[in-house]
Amino acid sequence: MSGTAGQVIRCKAAVAWEAGKPLVIEEVEVAPPQKNEVRLKILFTSLCHTDVYFWEAKGQTPLFPRIFGHEAGGIVESVGEGVTDLQPGDHVLPVFTGECKECPHCHSEESNMCDLLRINTDRGVMINDGQSRFSIKGKPIYHFVGTSTFSEYTVTHVGCVAKINPAAPLDKVCVLSCGISTGFGATVNVAKPKKGQSVAIFGLGAVGLAAAEGARVSGASRIIGVDLNPSRFNEAKKFGVTEFVNPKDYDKPVQQVIADMTNGGVDRSVECTGSVQAMISAFECVHDGWGVAVLVGVPNKDDAFKTHPMNLLNERTLKGTFFGNYKPRSDLPSVVEKYMNKELEVEKFITHTVPFSEINKAFDLMLAGESIRCIIRMDG
């Protein structure tokens, strides 16, 4: 164990004191890990749209003060009681969802939705004792999705940590701990296009581009990108997108446009927007008889998905996925190996890098739609 094991660590963290206000770099106290917990030294973290969404707190219960961040790479500093499969010095990716390895979901080959550790955006404390491991002058600061990586040190449940190849560059593979794996896995693990098939991707943000990358790696012959923002189309070519459709350019439903382009519909579609209308279009644009549509985007709580039952009876398949169907501890190390073996390109997702002291610039870039992924260097 390190010299700091068992002790409170004082370090810098970017604290969100209230919704929508710039984060403030503060000195926080990080308590030692308790039973089944690990304390991590975060070296690189990146900003995901989910951080921005909950920081804005427009559509959910606000919980502040809070330390956001959930896409990151780091090193184990110390481990709590009962932790046997991680040790100080291990290179790891913390993950917003988990794998306890004991519940029915973890025992299932088909599911990655752990009963104990699946994402909970409302919880701001640790499962073990209902307390936060972060404090400033004795006052607790809340956690975010069990990771809180906008801090030089953080504490997570052992089930939310994937041990990876120590040779993998953490400033690159940190982006695999959320959005990129979500999109890539939605295509390769769930939609499963065959070589030569056509794929439509709805939404060309980071997750949609990762879904396109999954289609490219799978050998899709046509990858049709659908987005309301035409400025995204050029960038998307790097991820294998071959054609672009902006629904605003047509006076008929986009599913009809795609069906006309593809002689009856695409073989696979992946929806990465969260718009219920895009979800319906993604389903209705796949070919009858064999078409598969996969929903990735998170809808608003009052949304309802409506389509005519004949669309299902005509042998179209509708699927949903969570985190690309990857089990964090079991599967994420192999995704990192895909990068190491040059089967998956990660660098093209990383458009900006900022030092930790300028973390608010990462928010500005994302809000302006200028970045795909912005890496935040914790040493800066």
Side-chain angles (χ1 to χ4, degrees):
M1 287 273 186
S2 64
T4 48
Q7 301 173 26
V8 170
I9 289 179
R10 287 178 178 80
C11 68
K12 288 186 191 138
V15 178
W17 288 101
E18 53 187 305
K21 295 286 170 68
L23 307 188
V24 181
I25 305 288
E26 305 274 13
E27 184 181 85
V28 299
E29 297 183 340
V30 185
Q34 302 299 307
K35 187 176 181 181
N36 293 327
E37 295 174 0
V38 292
R39 188 161 58 184
L40 310 177
K41 178 178 174 64
I42 301 296
L43 299 180
F44 300 94
T45 186
S46 64
L47 181 66
C48 169
H49 192 264
T50 305
D51 295 306
V52 177
Y53 181 73
F54 283 90
W55 165 74
E56 289 178 323
K58 288 175 182 171
Q60 65 288 323
T61 316
L63 187 61
F64 295 94
R66 202 169 202 183
I67 297 172
F68 287 101
H70 64 282
E71 268 191 10
I75 295 174
V76 175
E77 174 269 338
S78 61
V79 303
E81 179 194 338
V83 176
T84 55
D85 55 353
L86 287 172
Q87 57 189 19
D90 284 345
H91 285 223
V92 295
L93 302 180
V95 188
F96 65 92
T97 185
E99 182 185 351
C100 73
K101 297 195 172 181
E102 294 172 4
C103 71
H105 282 277
C106 287
H107 284 153
S108 162
E109 289 181 10
E110 297 176 55
S111 175
N112 65 339
M113 299 187 71
C114 176
D115 280 330
L116 180 68
L117 299 170
R118 75 173 67 173
I119 186 170
N120 182 329
T121 55
D122 293 331
R123 187 171 55 229
V125 293
M126 299 302 288
I127 290 174
N128 184 41
D129 59 1
Q131 303 290 315
S132 173
R133 302 287 172 264
F134 297 110
S135 61
I136 295 179
K137 295 175 184 164
K139 292 188 175 169
I141 308 293
Y142 292 113
H143 294 250
F144 178 64
V145 297
T147 51
S148 291
T149 61
F150 295 165
S151 175
E152 292 175 324
Y153 287 85
T154 189
V155 176
T156 67
H157 191 284
V158 65
C160 300
V161 178
K163 179 181 173 181
I164 63 163
N165 183 344
L170 289 171
D171 61 331
K172 306 289 192 297
V173 299
C174 63
V175 299
L176 294 174
S177 65
C178 177
I180 310 309
S181 294
T182 294
F184 188 80
T187 303
V188 300
N189 295 336
V190 188
K192 296 181 179 172
K194 299 182 177 76
K195 191 168 184 178
Q197 287 192 319
S198 57
V199 182
I201 309 288
F202 285 73
L204 298 174
V207 175
L209 293 173
E213 177 77 357
R216 183 188 72 78
V217 167
S218 300
S221 60
R222 295 176 73 180
I223 304 174
I224 301 168
V226 183
D227 203 291
L228 297 168
N229 181 356
S231 68
R232 288 178 158 176
F233 292 168
N234 214 29
E235 188 74 31
K237 290 176 186 170
K238 296 180 196 169
F239 300 84
V241 177
T242 56
E243 298 155 77
F244 303 96
V245 173
N246 183 344
K248 287 194 237 177
D249 292 344
Y250 300 89
D251 54 9
K252 58 185 173 184
V254 69
Q255 53 266 51
Q256 190 58 52
V257 174
I258 292 171
D260 293 346
M261 289 168 65
T262 53
N263 194 24
V266 286
D267 301 303
R268 303 287 186 265
S269 72
V270 185
E271 183 284 322
C272 305
T273 70
S275 153
V276 73
Q277 193 49 57
M279 294 178 187
I280 294 165
S281 299
F283 174 56
E284 294 183 354
C285 81
V286 299
H287 206 289
D288 59 4
W290 61 81
V292 178
V294 178
L295 306 185
V296 180
V298 179
N300 291 324
K301 65 178 189 295
D302 298 328
D303 283 340
F305 184 97
K306 293 175 184 170
T307 192
H308 197 282
M310 282 309 298
N311 289 321
L312 286 156
L313 293 170
N314 286 339
E315 299 182 1
R316 292 178 183 87
T317 300
L318 179 64
K319 291 184 168 187
T321 178
F322 170 70
F323 191 49
N325 261 62
Y326 290 117
K327 291 179 187 277
R329 296 159 86 180
S330 302
D331 298 334
L332 216 46
S334 65
V335 182
V336 171
E337 291 309 308
K338 276 188 193 297
Y339 166 76
M340 298 297 281
N341 297 333
K342 298 187 165 49
E343 296 167 45
L344 167 62
E345 296 174 22
V346 165
E347 284 85 353
K348 60 191 177 186
F349 290 95
I350 300 167
T351 52
H352 299 79
T353 304
V354 298
F356 189 37
S357 58
E358 295 175 27
I359 188 169
N360 288 303
K361 192 189 266 184
F363 280 74
D364 296 339
L365 288 164
M366 182 162 281
L367 289 167
E370 291 176 24
S371 64
I372 301 175
R373 276 294 180 270
C374 179
I375 301 292
I376 297 152
R377 294 194 325 271
M378 300 305 286
D379 61 355

